[in-house]
Amino acid sequence: MTANPLLLCLVLLAQLSAQNAFGSDAYTPSVIPTFKEMTPMSAEEALLSDAFNDDLYAESQNFSENAYWHKLTFPKTTTQENTQNLYLTLSYFIIEHLDFYLFHDEQLISHWKRGALQDWGEDNSHYKGIWIPITLSDQHSTSLIIRKQGNHPLLTPIKLMDGTTAAEQTTHKLIFWTFIISTLTILLIYNIFLFALLKQPGFIYYLGLNLIIFVSLSALTGFNRWIFSQTLSQWITTNLFVVFGLGAWILFRFSMHFLKDIQIPAPNAFLKKYGDWLFITFLLSTQVFSVKTFALFFAFIEIFLFFICIAWGIKAYKKGFLPVRFYLFSWFFLLTGSILNTFIFWKILPITPVTESIFPIACILQLLGFAFAFADKAKQMERDRRTQALTDLTTQLPNRAYYFDMLPSQIQKQGLSDQKLALVMIDLTNHQTLSQAFGPAKADGAMCDIILKLHQQTQTMEGLLSFSLANKKTTTLIRMTTKKIIFISTHPDALKTQIQQIQNTLDHPTRVNKVHFRHQYKIGSALYPSQGADLDKLYQHALIAKDSVTYSSGHWLPFTDNLKNNHAHQLRLITLLTEDIERDILYFDIQPQVDLLTNNITGGEVLIRWNNVHMGQVSPSEFIPLAEQTGLIYKLTDKLLESVFLWASQHPKALSTQRLSINISALDLLQENFANRILELLDKQQLAASKFTIEITETSVFQNNAVVHNNVKQLHQAGFKLSIDDFGVGYSSMQNLVALETDELKIDRFFIMNLLDDAQSQILSRNMIDLSKALNITSVAEGIESEGILQLLKSWHCQVGQGYHLYRPMSPTDYLTLLDKTVPPLSAPTNRA
Ligand code: C2E
Ligand code: MG
Ligand code: MG
């Protein structure tokens, strides 16, 4: 606490320079004759003792249990002299026992007891300090005998003064100390209210500090006798070092709390862990060791605390924690107060009412400094809290709340209300798949990385609106959700170029867990004010545009009124799909696959079909992504597998020499018990797994994923073949092809359909066929729409073909009829897959 280092100086210096411990008053002798009491004696005996000796005075001012006698003698006064009364004063009250005896020659005139532990009875003039009136006589010489006893040093100088000065000083002191104590009282009461109001955890330490300063200052000035009961006052006096120790501890905890938010000291710092024990040890030592010993301990603790707190403060300031300015000011006052006080006790500064007030004023300034620091910190925290509420924690970009609460006024302030703007929304759609593949933390990390990358890019782009945050930072992106970001173009005419730039970054392959993949995303945009006069509408329309990307070929769709209708259409589809899955309305077709060498049917691909009463036939490329988005896919896969297996078991012919390929969503394989479930269903129909191929797309997130790995391993072991569908589009990597121990590679129909006109498709398709051969994987070409394509593929030795030119998808019944027609009952198996 504030008084502590000061007291340390007092204690140490009083011992070092006790012989100097007198005021500079003209009446005050610098050394008082003294002797140590060996056997109990009366004042009269002491008066006559010839043991008084100047040399013992210094010793008497040290810590000691012994009683010492002091003697001050005054000559007879002459009647002309007007100073008949002198006053002797001690300002502090912590000496345990003090007896003052006034003699005229050998006659005892008065006896006062004024020690800290003595009963002062009805005398309530304690606040004045210890004032002993010495009445001088013109008949006799006057002697004042003082008996001092107690294990406390005589900390303050003795001063002698005449009546007028004494009266003046009494009034001054009374005013001064009343001011100090009432200031502290007001501060304390105010802080108690503040604490009740703020309920900030660290404030309790500040309050404690306030209380300790109040208690120790009142003890040191004698006001404690006015404020507390005599027993309590006396306890405080005897246990002053416990009070100081508690104060130091509170100060330590206060500092730790104050600086906690900026990680000072570091969470694993020695002091953070064991600091409390240091104080507990000290407090315990006060009960075991002598005052002198623990005063020394205390000195070390104080010096240490003093330097460490200032070092922490400076470190915090360097870290940009501004409220620490007031905290450092507080320590500055304390430091100044302590140094000046040391000067007083070294006699560099004289003891005057001004110098004497340095200590209490430093205490109050320190308390005020801490109060300011606290208020400043609370303000900063409030600012941070407000910024935090409006920003995304991980990327520090403005968030959804910012968009809806702050942006409207910002746009108005920047005078953009009448300008044409465009809202662009980017949705990173592979977040869910990444989460399931690598866990939410890695998925969030990947989102964060790409968002920050995009932010860096948009910062340098022209024609984008800047968003300013409370912490004076400006950004160009707003993060609406984990995977959704937006920006606002102030030049909608350049929107195409701007989005193209963004897409270039998004299309760039990235890595998670050593797996390369390309982000999947959808971009939607809406124009202000034509497509939305407020940010709400604008957002809604950009969202609709973004969602409609699912049904388009590209990644970006600008909003149109048509899309709005489509959006409603999708919502309706989801509802109808949910109902129809439940009611088993969905069924499947089979598209035969042909061995390109022998022209035999090697098997067929099961393709799901949905014919809704209201919507008619809905394409799987329309409803499968919807089912994936809404989680309906699991139920859908389950039901499909069940009905395919049932059908196959009822028509053994379908599998006698042929196989069936079934499409599985990537999300299915990320299900923990997927393989078990499929094997269970298979078992139920007593079918051989070796007759089935599982087709999967979007394999990039599979590698290094334990769940997928286990599922694939289990399916492989059971006899299933694994096929990578739509190879060549998206980001299907060779690495994954090998890692998943693929049996079949299906070249995407996008390449096959363009084969005759597009040289690039030719190169790619040919390479994929060669690659399959090299890896001993069956190559399948889907989307063969013409004889020319078929011949080309045959000439490249592609093994299996599938497409409208060969066979269209057909009902299972037609498929069986076809098999009957094309496959002679006893023909040898021809499929290679
Ligand atoms: P896919 O697995 O690549 O299936 C091949 C798609 O190409 C089928 O479309 C098929 O009808 C079509 N196709 C076949 N030959 C030709 C051709 O010569 N020209 C053209 N233009 N198209 C051809 P479909 O049935 O519309 O299925 C679309 C996609 O929906 C499938 O692509 C597959 O990814 C998904 N899908 C179909 N059934 C299921 C299923 O049961 N479960 C899951 N998860 N997805 C399925
Ligand atoms: Mg397929
Ligand atoms: Mg395909």
Side-chain angles (χ1 to χ4, degrees), residues 605 663 695 725 746:
E605 179 179 6
N663 292 288
E695 291 189 14
D725 205 351
K746 289 187 86 172

Side-chain angles (χ1 to χ4, degrees), residues 626-653:
L626 277 183
E628 286 180 333
Q629 278 169 31
T630 52
L632 282 171
I633 192 71
Y634 307 116
K635 191 84 182 239
L636 187 145
T637 307
D638 233 44
K639 293 227 168 189
L640 178 88
L641 288 170
E642 210 174 339
S643 56
V644 171
F645 292 161
L646 180 67
W647 176 80
S649 74
Q650 288 167 346
H651 304 92
K653 171 138 194 39

